[in-house]
Amino acid sequence: MSSDSRFSFAPRDDRKAVESGLHFAPKFDADGLIPAIAQDAETGEILMVAYMNEESLRMTLECGEGVYYSRSRQELWHKGKTSGHVQTVKEVLVDCDQDALILKVIQHGGGACHTGYKSCFFRKVAGEGHPTPLDQVYTDKGFDPDKVYG
């Protein structure tokens, strides 16, 4: 990340300052990642859970759109650059020990999930069994992933 970034992170050497102070000191895990929950800014609905590294977090803060780190592809992932389903970030919340984030976003396009649904959480646990069954929460897709992603 370039040194001319408008955003810098505070040190994490004082637990009290991290937990109750007013300086952003995100705690990245051993892999350099922090979980980020994307939440619809208007409805409060959880859209997806992803991870950010230091570079993607800075990029998100700088450009105002969701930029994540893809663990499976091992690369930065600017949400919506391929599909057009960009997330405009309205607010970033950090938890008490600064090891998890909530991004309140405006989700553009047909949905947040690469499968075509509004939310990645389109199923719920339906009851007991082996294997435990799931029910659909959403039945209508907002877009056809085969047409969007090929």
Side-chain angles (χ1 to χ4, degrees), residues 52 56-57 59-60 63 65-69 76-79:
M52 295 178 138
S56 66
L57 177 53
M59 289 175 69
T60 295
C63 76
E65 294 180 350
V67 180
Y68 303 97
Y69 183 80
L76 293 178
W77 159 42
H78 192 146
K79 179 73 175 144

Side-chain angles (χ1 to χ4, degrees), residues 48 63 66 70 77 104-106 115 123 132 135-136:
M48 58 180 245
C63 76
S70 171
W77 159 42
K104 293 193 175 195
V105 304
I106 302 298
T115 63
R123 298 170 291 189
T132 302
D135 281 341
Q136 290 284 131

